[in-house]
Amino acid sequence: MRNMVIIGSGPAGLTAAVYASRANLSPLLIEGKEPGGQLTLTTLVENFPGFPEGVMGPELMDNMRKQALHFGAEIVTDYVHKVNLKERPFKVCYGDQEVETKTVVISTGSSAKLIGIESEMNLMGHGVSTCATCDGFFYRGKKIAVVGGGDSAMEEGTFLTKFASEVNMIHRRDSFRASKIMQERAFQNPKIKIHWDTEVKDVLGSKEKGVHGLQLQNVKTGATSVLEVEGLFVAIGHHPNSEIFKGQIDLDEMGYVKTRPGSSRTSVDGVFACGDIQDPIFRQAITAAGSGCMAAIEAERWLSH
Ligand code: NAP
């Protein structure tokens, strides 16, 4: 019987593991399909406090992992395919193992949706980004592009005009689905150019030199063109990794785990959630880490009652 099983190994899960292991709870952390989470898809992280020169995303995650191991967390490289949160002790299944536990910390994160072309993945962190807040700063005075037509794309596109000389919004249809007010803000921004009915077919560039352009296609005429940009922000939505919890715990209409305000407590006593799986708004490494700390402390208190 475990005191705590942590599901997911981004900043939230690993911070929970650091705190829980220092509290002598001997947590078991199951890493999941993307060990280290979304930060392993980035290169330089400049906004995580404590690193005045910045730190590489994968290195930051590796250090958090080492820190958790140092204090005695057990980490397994596997993914959880089933849980039973309906009765105690809770059951968590990974590989061919089933483990019983008094508390569960859900930190399975969310994944940015991608267009699905090979070059997009190859150049992720080398000119392709899924986070304007994280990477906008690197594009000062440069021409860039944003894909998407929802509120995220409007918000990121408008935000990026603070840095970029020109923001090309690329949308596959001839109207945006974003709220009118956010659309208006984008329409009125002189730095934003809109490319309707357009798909990105290829991202041009290399890991060494970064992105220098996009191969575009007009979906109505079939005409192709090259747009010279130095960065591509993919803003076509996120999906929370909550499939295995459906029907067992309260999720919101988008599939994010519901937590009580100011807390990591979920609708199930003894189950806590932290990081992007319960946060469709901030999605930052530092907020995820902060909520991981909350989950470990709340779980520890819950166990001692
Ligand atoms: P979203 O509303 O689902 O919009 C996704 C956009 O990406 C759509 O325009 C969609 O095109 C496009 N898209 C999807 N798959 C694509 C693909 N494979 N290739 C090219 N384009 C693709 O997602 P979101 O913008 O992230 O917003 C999610 C939720 O958060 C929404 O409820 C939104 O209102 C909310 N949100 C609110 C704010 C705010 O109020 N400040 C900010 C961000 C998000 P189609 O339109 O053709 O389907």
Side-chain angles (χ1 to χ4, degrees):
M1 169 78 78
R2 291 275 176 174
N3 287 314
M4 182 189 288
V5 170
I6 302 167
I7 310 175
S9 58
L14 286 171
T15 303
V18 168
Y19 272 77
S21 48
R22 290 189 79 253
N24 284 335
L25 296 179
S26 308
L28 171 70
L29 181 147
I30 303 157
E31 284 191 307
K33 284 182 183 166
E34 289 173 33
Q38 291 190 65
L39 272 194
T40 57
L41 299 177
T42 64
T43 46
L44 191 65
V45 178
E46 287 190 321
N47 55 9
F48 200 89
F51 298 91
E53 311 297 328
V55 57
M56 298 303 275
E59 187 190 341
L60 179 62
M61 296 322 299
D62 196 41
N63 281 338
M64 284 191 197
R65 189 178 192 277
K66 283 184 186 143
Q67 199 170 346
L69 287 171
H70 173 74
F71 292 115
E74 189 182 334
I75 298 183
V76 293
T77 304
D78 210 326
Y79 74 95
V80 173
H81 55 83
K82 199 166 121 197
V83 292
N84 185 350
L85 307 177
K86 290 195 168 155
E87 52 198 47
R88 288 197 219 136
F90 304 120
K91 291 191 180 65
V92 176
C93 303
Y94 60 95
D96 55 6
Q97 308 280 317
E98 180 181 279
V99 60
E100 292 189 336
T101 179
K102 294 177 190 165
T103 66
V104 171
V105 171
I106 301 175
S107 49
T108 46
S110 70
S111 306
K113 290 184 191 162
L114 296 176
I115 310 167
I117 47 179
E118 208 181 320
S119 49
E120 170 192 43
M121 202 56 222
N122 281 344
L123 296 172
M124 188 62 68
H126 299 273
V128 178
S129 169
T130 55
C131 178
T133 312
C134 320
D135 297 330
F137 195 72
F138 300 122
Y139 295 91
R140 266 173 303 175
K142 295 182 175 170
K143 276 173 71 172
I144 59 168
V146 175
V147 183
D151 281 332
S152 293
M154 298 307 120
E155 193 168 68
E156 304 221 336
T158 306
F159 172 76
L160 287 165
T161 60
K162 288 186 183 180
F163 311 100
S165 60
E166 182 180 296
V167 175
N168 292 271
M169 306 275 306
I170 298 167
H171 185 40
R172 62 185 179 183
R173 291 188 297 119
D174 61 4
S175 64
F176 288 140
R177 73 166 61 231
S179 54
K180 286 281 174 275
I181 185 163
M182 310 239 332
Q183 292 192 30
E184 254 341 286
R185 219 168 277 159
F187 290 147
Q188 279 168 16
N189 193 314
K191 281 190 175 177
I192 293 182
K193 285 189 180 171
I194 298 166
H195 303 252
W196 301 112
D197 298 315
T198 303
E199 283 181 357
V200 177
K201 290 292 176 193
D202 202 7
V203 188
L204 312 172
S206 65
K207 279 191 170 143
E208 295 70 35
K209 292 188 175 164
V211 167
H212 63 79
L214 303 175
Q215 175 86 54
L216 302 179
Q217 183 164 39
N218 184 298
V219 293
K220 285 189 176 154
T221 64
T224 58
S225 58
V226 170
L227 177 70
E228 284 180 17
V229 289
E230 290 182 68
L232 171 66
F233 287 83
V234 182
I236 60 176
H238 286 78
H239 59 82
N241 299 316
S242 60
E243 286 76 13
I244 52 169
F245 309 111
K246 269 181 198 154
Q248 303 198 45
I249 198 167
D250 285 357
L251 306 177
D252 71 10
E253 63 285 354
M254 292 190 289
Y256 287 87
V257 174
K258 281 189 182 173
T259 49
R260 297 186 200 168
S263 165
S264 62
R265 298 179 77 146
T266 68
S267 60
V268 177
D269 240 10
V271 178
F272 304 84
C274 50
D276 286 11
I277 190 62
Q278 50 86 59
D279 170 22
I281 299 167
F282 301 108
R283 297 189 181 119
Q284 298 301 298
I286 189 66
T287 48
S291 68
C293 158
M294 286 165 63
I297 291 176
E298 288 188 295
E300 183 197 351
R301 288 181 184 160
W302 188 85
L303 281 165
S304 61
H305 280 153

